[in-house]
Amino acid sequence: MAIIEFPKDIRWGAATAAYQIEGAATKDGRGLSIWDTFSKTPGKVLNGDNGDIACDSYHRYEEDIELMKELGIDIYRFSVSWPRIFPTGTGEVNQSGLQYYHDFVDALLANGIEPMCTLYHWDLPQALQDKGGWENRETVDAFAEYSDLMFKEFDGKIKKWITINEPWCVSFLSNFIGIHAPGYQNLQLATTISHHLLLAHGKAVTKFRESGLTGEIGYAPNLEWNEPYSNKQEDIDACNRGMGWFIEWFFDPVFKGSYPQFMLDWFEKKGVTLSIQDGDMAFIHQPIDFVGINYYTGSVVRYKENHELFDNEKVDIGYEKTDFDWNIYPEGFYKALSKLKDQYGQIPIYITENGACYNDGVENGRVKDQRRIDYLKQHLTSLSRAIDSGVNIKGYLTWSLLDNFEWAEGYDKRFGIIHVDFNTLERTKKDSYYWYKQTIKNGWFDM
Ligand SMILES: OC[C@@H]1[C@@H](O)[C@H](O)[C@@H](O)c2[nH]c(CCc3ccccc3)c[n+]21
């Protein structure tokens, strides 16, 4: 097979998120989040799982950092639990929460691992949800206040900030499709929220710039690649609407200063309007230092009249699938990254999430997750192709370091390169951990 090689200066990392790994849900003054509420609402999460304990990383982060150090990563993406800092979302600060993240970040730095901090990875303080959540513009200002405090508190320690993880998930998956917290199914609500999330991102960037602190700031949208089933214009248009929901809707406002007209027109046909206040787009459109890209899968899409939101349907043409039933579509990774370069120029890109769900268990102290190794090889090959094509890739962070709480799927779906036994909390390095370790050490792998 072929040797796939990477630039010597590429950053190699791994990613997690607070609610998915920390546990200690009521420890040291943490307030409730919408995921505490949602996961305890019967029927919302598979097997009634919740994040009360998760990987217990709140207490076990030194062990996790040892595993990161042995892995050889030089950057680690984690998220801060907003309700650990502001138990009611605003107002009084929980000093124990701040101290926890100081201890954690200090331990990362002491081990030569750079912290990349996501400020919002879905765990909105329940107290803010009780006042309308992201539909309420006051939540935007609360996020700016929370972000500003974090920037100043961690000045000199954290130099890579991500404002919002996956605004598409926070808005549409959670308020239109409805499978994530808070679980509404209202297109107008979801679209309004998508604007407030981008505004929250923009206001946090403004706070960061005004603070004069050193560091870089960006956001982390998720995208999937849609390929038209045929070259019929109706299939191409249907495909572009589907992808426009992930790409143009969340990239154009930030990089071009306006929402894509073809999407605005489509939403208007659906009776959805966007109320943009004076000054909103100026906040959203201001320059950022990088964009985090979360890529997992893609689909073949064709036109289907009056079907779902975009008059389109995914066509299963037999792609291999992960244990989450997601298509394995590495070419889509290359095509999506190329599209971003063509449409938005040379913005520095960190792959802030890429990985696969495979539920292989521990047998005699070993986890033989060859399918995850194959997935990573295929997608890193696509990444190498994008780099060779001039896409400005700065780093790759695999999702995830640990098996963890996979939202509506609970602990049933495993994305980690480290296995976690959720009864004993024992960590076991999977075969993919050793493969990734060797790839990081070499800077290349043999396809
Ligand atoms: O599902 C795997 C990971 C989650 O564990 C991360 O928290 C989240 O950032 C993330 N985003 C995506 C792609 C969007 C998506 C998430 C969940 C369900 C369907 C699509 C996959 N993942």
Side-chain angles (χ1 to χ4, degrees):
M1 304 283 260
I3 297 286
I4 305 296
E5 205 161 359
F6 293 90
K8 290 283 171 275
D9 60 353
I10 195 169
R11 308 298 299 276
W12 292 102
T16 61
Y19 190 76
Q20 297 182 267
I21 69 164
E22 286 181 357
T26 56
K27 188 84 183 289
D28 297 337
R30 177 181 179 275
L32 289 184
S33 76
I34 57 173
W35 269 96
D36 295 286
T37 307
F38 193 73
S39 61
K40 294 191 176 139
T41 306
K44 299 299 184 184
V45 177
L46 194 59
N47 305 320
D49 290 341
N50 61 58
D52 284 354
I53 299 172
C55 307
D56 193 36
S57 288
Y58 186 83
H59 298 107
R60 297 167 191 255
Y61 66 80
E62 278 138 335
E63 178 184 357
D64 294 344
I65 291 172
E66 273 309 305
L67 289 163
M68 294 179 215
K69 193 170 167 59
E70 184 192 331
L71 180 60
I73 60 173
D74 59 37
I75 187 167
Y76 176 66
R77 177 181 178 227
F78 66 101
S79 83
V80 168
S81 169
W82 184 349
R84 263 194 215 291
I85 310 303
F86 287 99
T88 59
T90 61
E92 192 178 337
V93 174
N94 175 28
Q95 289 304 323
S96 303
L98 283 178
Q99 191 55 53
Y100 166 70
Y101 290 108
H102 274 296
D103 296 344
F104 173 65
V105 167
D106 290 348
L108 282 176
L109 294 169
N111 284 279
I113 298 167
E114 180 176 11
M116 175 184 258
C117 179
T118 306
L119 289 160
Y120 187 71
H121 202 124
W122 306 357
D123 42 1
L124 185 73
Q126 183 59 47
L128 293 176
Q129 185 63 37
D130 294 343
K131 293 187 282 183
W134 286 111
E135 184 184 21
N136 183 346
R137 282 177 75 107
E138 287 176 17
T139 302
V140 172
D141 296 323
F143 178 72
E145 177 196 10
Y146 154 60
S147 302
D148 192 39
L149 179 128
M150 292 299 291
F151 296 144
K152 289 165 178 165
E153 181 76 26
F154 290 88
D155 177 28
K157 292 186 180 182
I158 297 177
K159 295 180 176 149
K160 285 185 179 57
W161 296 96
I162 290 170
T163 53
I164 307 281
N165 180 68
E166 303 193 342
W168 180 87
C169 287
V170 182
S171 50
F172 293 108
L173 186 64
S174 304
N175 292 280
F176 172 59
I177 298 170
I179 64 169
H180 281 192
Y184 295 112
Q185 294 184 301
N186 178 320
L187 186 59
Q188 179 61 64
L189 172 65
T191 309
T192 299
I193 286 173
S194 73
H195 179 63
H196 290 172
L197 287 164
L198 289 175
L199 184 58
H201 157 78
K203 289 202 170 192
V205 174
T206 295
K207 290 289 188 186
F208 187 68
R209 301 300 186 214
E210 285 173 350
S211 73
L213 300 176
T214 55
E216 299 170 8
I217 191 163
Y219 70 137
N222 58 295
L223 54 89
E224 55 181 72
W225 183 257
N226 288 176
E227 187 78 24
Y229 180 76
S230 81
N231 64 4
K232 284 192 296 184
Q233 197 56 47
E234 66 184 25
D235 286 349
I236 292 168
D237 293 346
C239 189
N240 287 338
R241 288 193 296 272
M243 227 162 19
W245 205 19
F246 294 99
I247 297 183
E248 282 82 0
W249 189 259
F250 290 102
F251 281 73
D252 280 20
V254 174
F255 295 104
K256 296 184 174 180
S258 62
Y259 286 93
Q261 196 56 49
F262 77 102
M263 295 297 291
L264 286 168
D265 295 345
W266 191 268
F267 281 142
E268 193 177 345
K269 267 184 16 176
K270 298 287 178 180
V272 169
T273 54
L274 204 53
S275 54
I276 301 171
Q277 291 184 15
D278 288 350
D280 285 358
M281 298 316 291
F283 277 113
I284 297 171
H285 182 37
Q286 63 183 294
I288 54 177
D289 304 300
F290 67 87
V291 61
I293 297 298
N294 296 353
Y295 177 90
Y296 290 86
T297 185
S299 305
V300 172
V301 170
R302 70 180 166 202
Y303 175 69
K304 184 169 184 179
E305 191 175 10
N306 297 330
H307 186 71
E308 295 186 351
L309 178 58
F310 293 109
D311 288 7
N312 64 12
E313 65 172 347
K314 294 183 176 177
V315 185
D316 188 340
I317 61 170
Y319 284 120
E320 293 248 325
K321 294 177 176 41
T322 69
D323 287 350
F324 209 144
D325 208 29
W326 293 356
N327 289 332
I328 301 169
Y329 193 16
E331 294 79 11
F333 192 22
Y334 168 66
K335 290 181 178 177
L337 291 171
S338 302
K339 178 179 176 127
L340 295 182
K341 175 177 177 289
D342 295 344
Q343 288 192 186
Y344 304 104
Q346 287 288 11
I347 175 81
I349 294 174
Y350 287 87
I351 304 304
T352 36
E353 289 180 31
N354 174 248
C357 169
Y358 289 114
N359 296 324
D360 305 280
V362 181
E363 288 169 24
N364 305 317
R366 187 177 163 196
V367 180
K368 297 179 186 170
D369 61 336
Q370 184 60 43
R371 295 179 297 169
R372 178 171 288 103
I373 293 172
D374 294 341
Y375 177 99
L376 293 175
K377 281 183 167 182
Q378 291 165 347
H379 287 77
L380 283 169
T381 299
S382 285
L383 187 65
S384 175
R385 292 175 64 196
I387 293 169
D388 285 2
S389 308
V391 180
N392 191 3
I393 301 290
K394 309 302 276 187
Y396 175 87
L397 296 87
T398 191
W399 184 272
S400 178
L401 179 77
L402 300 167
D403 291 339
N404 58 52
F405 177 80
E406 180 47 44
W407 307 114
E409 302 296 317
Y411 299 102
D412 183 63
K413 302 279 187 305
R414 295 175 177 271
F415 278 85
I417 57 174
I418 297 169
H419 180 278
V420 177
D421 178 325
F422 291 105
N423 296 310
T424 66
L425 299 171
E426 184 180 6
R427 277 86 162 133
T428 306
K429 291 170 268 190
K430 301 182 186 178
D431 286 2
S432 57
Y433 173 99
Y434 295 104
W435 179 85
Y436 191 45
K437 175 180 178 181
Q438 191 59 48
T439 298
I440 293 169
K441 182 169 183 285
N442 293 340
W444 55 266
F445 64 87
D446 191 342
M447 188 58 201

